[in-house]
Amino acid sequence: MFEFIKADIKKFAIYHTLYTASNIFDRYDWNERIDDAIDCISNTSVYFVHDKSEIVGGFTLKENCVNYPFIVPPFKDRKMFWGVTLDYAIKTSGCGDIFLNEIPETDATVLEQSFFATRKWSKQKMIRPTALCTPALTTDFYFSELMDANIKEIIRVIYDADANGHASTVWQPDINDIETTVQRRVELFTQTHSLHMSNVVRNKISNEIVGVCIVGVYPDAQAYSTKNFATIHQISVKPEYQRKGIAKAMLLKSISDANKISPAITLGVLEDNPAKELYNKIGFKAGALYSGLHYNIMAVKQ
């Protein structure tokens, strides 16, 4: 008989860090992984799954969304774990639809095969060392700084790229969400004096922005052994200017500009995004796969 007991957040974070099926975000520092888990679960309900008073696993639940699952050895029956977890999530949320986010591949496969969950997206984090590079643009374009005065134009470039690119096959871009996210990243990277790692590319004739690469160091990346790891938050090129080497040039410039203070640079990418080919070609290593899934109780009963 399984019991679901609300857990202390710090204790849960330690268990998750030790027993998660995969280090999906490639965190290399013990304290960083724990602090990251605490930050992500701070506004959720946190549960340990007990069997005969022993902890056999855990997960978080916010409304009808399950996240951060793990199983504690020697218990290893993932099908049983997910059966009782999904049942509890349905009863607690009062909803027959359960969303599961950032689920490691081992668990995503069980959810698909045993519970007919639908995989909505799969992502990977990618990473490579920074280095001095020589980015090359054709004579039609030139590099420019990312400046506050250009934020609205930058937002439009990102929206146009997302609306016509691979991201649109997974979710519908929202220009207001893009604006909020861009402004927040600019604010954070300004705090760490790392916004200079970003760049935009302009058309020499029209002077319009045709590509944008938003890069920097997050404040919490300065406290760990992975100190000052830079993150490529956004890389976008307007649809009519794609396949001209602009994305590659922006990436190489950011890798080079980050070299003085950042030993490595990371990005996140949808697993089946064609852009992965470019990232591989310029030296990015792909980490573990993680997914978002949708479970519907009626799909299992049919």
Side-chain angles (χ1 to χ4, degrees):
M1 182 67 179
F2 292 94
E3 291 184 280
F4 300 85
I5 299 176
K6 284 198 173 183
D8 172 77
I9 288 179
K10 179 67 179 288
K11 185 175 182 180
F12 181 95
I14 292 171
Y15 268 70
H16 179 271
T17 299
L18 282 170
Y19 296 119
T20 183
S22 179
N23 179 13
I24 59 178
F25 297 121
D26 279 346
R27 302 291 193 187
Y28 296 104
D29 183 278
W30 164 260
N31 289 318
E32 182 182 14
R33 290 187 67 185
I34 292 176
D35 286 353
D36 180 65
I38 290 173
D39 183 60
C40 290
I41 67 180
S42 59
N43 294 315
T44 66
S45 296
V46 184
Y47 294 95
F48 282 139
V49 182
H50 285 247
D51 180 25
K52 299 177 182 177
S53 77
E54 295 291 331
I55 298 174
V56 299
F59 61 92
T60 68
L61 179 64
K62 184 175 183 179
E63 297 175 348
N64 63 332
C65 183
V66 172
N67 205 346
Y68 276 75
F70 63 87
I71 288 178
V72 179
F75 186 83
K76 58 183 179 181
D77 191 334
R78 292 187 178 277
K79 182 176 179 181
M80 181 178 290
F81 170 82
W82 279 110
V84 297
T85 296
L86 291 170
D87 183 59
Y88 185 81
I90 289 168
K91 290 178 180 177
T92 304
S93 68
C95 183
D97 288 292
I98 301 297
F99 294 93
L100 307 110
N101 291 318
E102 297 171 351
I103 303 299
E105 183 63 14
T106 301
D107 293 296
T109 299
V110 172
L111 286 161
E112 280 186 309
Q113 295 179 352
S114 299
F115 300 96
F116 306 100
T118 302
R119 196 181 301 232
K120 309 302 288 185
W121 52 263
S122 294
K123 293 181 180 180
Q124 289 173 295
K125 185 171 180 178
M126 303 186 76
I127 188 168
R128 63 148 289 165
T130 57
L132 294 177
C133 306
T134 306
L137 288 170
T138 68
T139 56
D140 298 323
F141 307 102
Y142 68 97
F143 286 111
S144 181
E145 291 183 39
L146 192 158
M147 303 175 65
D148 286 342
N150 306 128
I151 292 296
K152 288 192 179 296
E153 188 177 1
I154 287 168
I155 291 166
R156 175 53 64 176
V157 170
I158 295 171
Y159 177 82
D160 288 346
D162 285 355
N164 292 276
H166 183 75
S168 65
T169 66
V170 179
W171 54 71
Q172 185 61 42
D174 183 290
I175 198 162
N176 293 321
D177 288 344
I178 293 172
E179 180 177 4
T180 299
T181 302
V182 168
Q183 290 179 338
R184 179 58 177 159
R185 293 319 183 271
V186 169
E187 176 186 334
L188 291 172
F189 297 157
T190 299
Q191 286 178 22
T192 58
H193 307 287
S194 59
L195 189 60
H196 67 279
M197 300 177 187
S198 306
N199 61 82
V200 300
V201 169
R202 294 180 179 272
N203 183 309
K204 276 189 178 179
I205 296 176
S206 66
N207 208 39
E208 66 176 315
I209 295 175
V210 301
V212 57
C213 187
I214 302 177
V215 184
V217 176
Y218 287 105
D220 59 2
Q222 297 183 316
Y224 304 103
S225 62
T226 52
K227 185 174 181 179
N228 288 337
F229 273 34
T231 297
I232 298 172
H233 164 71
Q234 187 74 43
I235 175 80
S236 297
V237 179
K238 294 181 73 170
E240 62 267 34
Y241 290 98
Q242 293 175 5
R243 300 186 184 279
K244 297 181 183 294
I246 294 173
K248 180 180 179 180
M250 288 193 297
L251 287 167
L252 291 176
K253 179 168 174 53
S254 287
I255 290 168
S256 188
D257 289 343
N259 185 60
K260 286 185 178 181
I261 65 171
S262 182
I265 191 165
T266 70
L267 58 82
V269 61
L270 290 167
E271 194 270 337
D272 53 353
N273 189 337
K276 271 187 67 178
E277 182 178 353
L278 169 61
Y279 305 149
N280 284 322
K281 284 182 177 179
I282 60 176
F284 281 91
K285 173 187 76 72
L289 200 66
Y290 58 99
S291 300
L293 301 97
H294 171 229
Y295 167 80
N296 179 271
I297 190 171
M298 297 307 297
V300 179
K301 292 182 176 180
Q302 290 175 358

